[in-house]
C-alpha cells in the first residue's frame, strides 16, 4: 500500500485550487455525499442481522414497492445535507416532491438529485447495488417557481457520480475535469483515490440488457442485439452478455471495461424504465467525461430537457463506438 494516499476531500481540494475564487464549499458537499454513502454501506454490511431487509408496506412515486433500505438510504442523504447550508432542495426517486432542506431554503447554493439506493431487486440477495447523485446550481425562485425551474438539462450539472456497494465500496465522481474513483478503507472510514482519471475503452466486448424482455422489444433493439451476437472476427463479435440488474453495477463494469448498456423503449414503455434526472443524466456526464457516450437513441442524454422531475428515458450508454453503432440501428 502506498504511503501517501489521497483522500476524496484532498482530491477535491486539489482540483478546486485550479479554480481561482473556489470557496471549498463544493468539497464539503462531496463530503456530505460521501458520508451518506458510508452510512448506507455500513447498514448494508449487516442488513441481514438487523432486520433491515425486506419491503415496507408502501408504494413509491414510481409505483414500486419501497424497500426498508430505500427509506434508510433516502434519510441518510437528507440528514447529510442538513448542516452547512449548501443544499436547498433534494429530489429523490423515493419522494414525489422535492424536499426542502430545513433552514437551507434560501441559502443553499445547490440542488441535489439522488437515487438513494439503485437496484432494489438485488438488495435482499446480496448483489452489488449503489446510489446515484447529480448536483446542480440552485435556480432562482422559490416554491412552485423553483419546482418548475428544477427541470434542468443534464449538460448543466456541475458534478455527478455514484457510490457502489460491492465487494468494496467505491465512490466515483466527475466535476467536469475527468472521472475519478475512490475506494472506501473501512478500517479508517475514508475514501482513497484508487482509479485516477478513468477512460472508457473506445469499444468493448460486452453488452448489457434485460433479455427477458425480448418479446417486447422494438425491431430496432432486436436487430441490434442480433448484430452483437453475430460472429465477425474483425469487429470482435459476438459480444458477451452481462446483466446484473443494478444499473450502478452494470454501468461501473461498462465504464471500466467498455461495451454498451441498454434500457430501451418498448411498445408498452415509451420511455424505457430508467429516470432521466437521477439515473441517466448523472451517468451520462460520467461517461462523457470518461470519453464515452450516452444517448436516448436519437439525442445525447445531456441535451434532453426534462418535462417532469421523475421522467424516464430510453438509454444507450457506454463506449463511444458501441453507442455510435447502437444509435445507427435506431436512426
Ligand atoms: P430501482 O431504481 O427501483 O432500483 O430500479 C432501477 C433498476 C436499475 O438498477 C436496473 O438497471 C433496472 O432497474 C433493472 O430493471 P429490469 O429488472 O427491468 O431489468
Ligand atoms: Mg434506480
Amino acid at each position: 500500500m502506498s504511503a501517501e494516499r489521497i483522500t476524496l476531500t484532498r482530491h477535491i481540494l486539489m482540483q478546486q485550487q485550479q479554480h481561482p475564487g473556489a470557496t471549498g464549499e463544493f468539497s464539503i458537499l462531496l463530503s456530505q455525499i460521501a458520508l451518506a454513502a458510508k452510512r448506507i454501506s455500513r447498514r448494508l454490511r449487516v442488513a441481514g442481522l438487523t432486520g433491515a431487509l425486506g419491503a415496507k408496506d408502501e408504494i413509491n412515486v414510481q409505483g414500486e414497492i419501497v424497500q426498508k433500505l430505500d427509506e434508510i438510504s433516502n434519510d441518510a442523504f437528507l440528514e447529510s445535507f442538513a448542516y452547512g447550508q449548501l443544499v436547498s432542495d433534494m429530489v429523490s426517486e423515493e419522494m414525489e416532491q422535492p424536499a426542502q432542506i430545513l433552514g437551507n431554503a434560501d441559502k443553499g447554493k445547490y440542488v441535489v438529485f439522488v437515487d438513494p439506493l439503485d437496484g432494489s431487486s438485488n438488495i435482499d440477495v446480496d448483489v452489488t447495488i449503489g446510489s446515484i447523485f447529480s448536483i446542480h446550481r440552485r435556480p432562482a425562485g422559490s416554491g412552485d417557481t423553483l419546482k418548475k425551474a428544477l427541470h434542468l438539462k443534464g449538460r448543466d450539472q456541475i458534478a455527478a457520480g455514484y457510490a457502489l456497494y460491492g465487494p468494496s465500496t467505491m465512490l466515483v465522481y466527475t466535476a467536469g475535469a475527468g472521472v475519478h474513483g475512490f475506494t472506501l478503507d473501512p478500517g479508517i472510514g475514508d475514501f482513497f483515490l484508487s482509479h485516477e482519471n478513468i477512460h472508457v475503452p473506445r469499444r468493448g466486448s460486452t453488452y448489457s440488457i434485460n433479455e427477458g424482455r425480448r418479446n417486447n422489444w422494438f425491431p430496432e433493439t432486436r436487430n441490434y442485439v442480433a448484430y452483437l451476437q453475430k460472429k465477425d472476427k474483425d469487429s470482435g463479435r459476438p459480444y458477451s452478455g452481462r446483466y446484473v440488474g443494478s444499473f450502478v453495477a452494470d454501468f461501473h463494469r461498462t465504464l471500466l471495461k467498455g461495451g454498451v448498456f441498454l434500457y430501451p423503449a418498448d411498445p408498452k414503455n415509451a420511455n424505457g424504465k430508467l429516470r432521466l434526472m437521477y439515473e441517466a443524466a448523472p451517468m451520462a456526464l460520467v461517461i462523457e467525461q470518461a470519453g464515452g457516450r450516452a444517448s436516448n437513441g436519437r439525442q445525447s442524454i445531456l441535451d434532453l430537457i426534462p418535462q417532469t422531475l421523475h421522467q424516464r428515458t430510453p438509454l444507450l450508454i457506454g463506449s463511444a463506438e458501441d453507442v455510435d453503432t447502437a444509435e445507427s440501428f435506431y436512426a
Side-chain angles (χ1 to χ4, degrees):
M1 210 176 281
S2 100
E4 236 222 334
R5 296 200 299 174
I6 296 178
T7 62
L8 175 65
T9 308
R10 179 171 162 196
H11 189 264
I12 299 160
L13 287 172
M14 275 159 38
Q15 285 214 335
Q16 291 277 293
Q17 274 162 12
Q18 290 157 21
H19 300 279
T23 58
E25 284 180 339
F26 186 67
S27 74
I28 300 175
L29 174 53
L30 260 283
S31 309
Q32 293 178 336
I33 289 171
L35 175 63
K38 286 189 261 187
R39 290 182 64 187
I40 296 166
S41 169
R42 186 154 172 264
R43 292 300 294 259
L44 291 173
R45 296 276 168 250
V46 290
L49 302 174
T50 56
L53 296 180
K56 295 196 57 164
D57 211 5
E58 255 173 55
I59 303 288
N60 72 7
V61 48
Q62 320 289 341
E64 290 154 359
I65 297 165
V66 178
Q67 303 294 319
K68 289 184 204 161
L69 279 159
D70 280 329
E71 196 176 87
I72 291 171
S73 307
N74 196 62
D75 289 347
F77 279 98
L78 284 172
E79 284 165 24
S80 268
F81 297 141
Y83 72 91
Q85 301 194 319
L86 296 175
V87 178
S88 70
D89 297 79
M90 175 173 123
V91 176
S92 162
E93 176 175 338
E94 298 306 325
M95 302 184 298
E96 185 167 5
Q97 300 296 333
Q100 223 178 54
I101 309 293
L102 215 62
N104 295 7
D106 345 294
K107 301 184 187 94
K109 260 195 191 164
Y110 305 100
V111 286
V112 182
F113 296 76
V114 290
D115 181 352
L117 200 55
D118 176 66
S120 310
S121 67
N122 280 326
I123 295 176
D124 287 355
V125 293
D126 217 1
V127 169
T128 297
I129 47 185
S131 305
I132 309 175
F133 63 90
S134 154
I135 303 172
H136 282 270
R137 217 163 272 291
R138 177 169 68 96
S142 58
D144 279 351
T145 324
L146 175 69
K147 222 157 63 184
K148 283 204 194 98
L150 289 180
H151 299 174
L152 297 157
K153 225 178 17 185
R155 194 70 68 201
D156 297 331
Q157 293 170 100
I158 54 177
Y162 57 90
L164 177 91
Y165 313 111
S168 330
T169 292
M170 287 194 65
L171 196 137
V172 176
Y173 88 98
T174 181
V179 178
H180 311 285
F182 299 78
T183 300
L184 180 66
D185 182 334
I188 297 178
D190 221 338
F191 284 101
F192 291 90
L193 184 62
S194 52
H195 297 62
E196 195 172 11
N197 222 352
I198 299 169
H199 288 285
V200 58
R202 297 283 311 156
R203 184 173 277 281
S205 56
T206 60
Y207 71 97
S208 192
I209 188 170
N210 184 343
E211 300 253 7
R213 306 183 67 88
R214 179 181 288 269
N215 287 339
N216 297 334
W217 288 349
F218 280 122
E220 290 86 339
T221 307
R222 212 168 298 179
N223 293 338
Y224 175 54
V225 172
Y227 164 87
L228 292 171
Q229 294 170 339
K230 201 166 162 217
K231 197 167 170 189
D232 176 56
K233 219 168 137 219
D234 290 344
S235 56
R237 288 176 290 145
Y239 278 25
S240 286
R242 292 280 185 279
Y243 192 73
V244 177
S246 299
F247 180 42
V248 175
D250 283 312
F251 177 84
H252 187 67
R253 182 197 56 251
T254 307
L255 176 69
L256 296 186
K257 303 266 185 191
V260 61
F261 170 92
L262 299 100
Y263 210 113
D266 63 44
K268 285 197 196 127
N269 304 286
N271 291 313
K273 177 178 185 189
L274 299 180
R275 291 66 159 195
L276 176 57
M277 299 205 70
Y278 42 79
E279 292 181 319
M283 297 313 215
L285 189 70
V286 171
I287 207 84
E288 281 204 7
Q289 280 289 320
R293 292 197 54 216
S295 163
N296 68 354
R298 288 179 178 80
Q299 229 183 321
S300 165
I301 293 291
L302 295 180
D303 292 328
L304 300 174
I305 299 172
Q307 302 302 309
T308 62
L309 291 179
H310 297 287
Q311 124 178 19
R312 299 170 194 263
T313 178
L315 179 66
L316 322 170
I317 192 164
S319 293
E321 287 178 13
D322 284 307
V323 175
D324 288 349
T325 309
E327 256 182 347
S328 69
F329 281 81
Y330 291 91

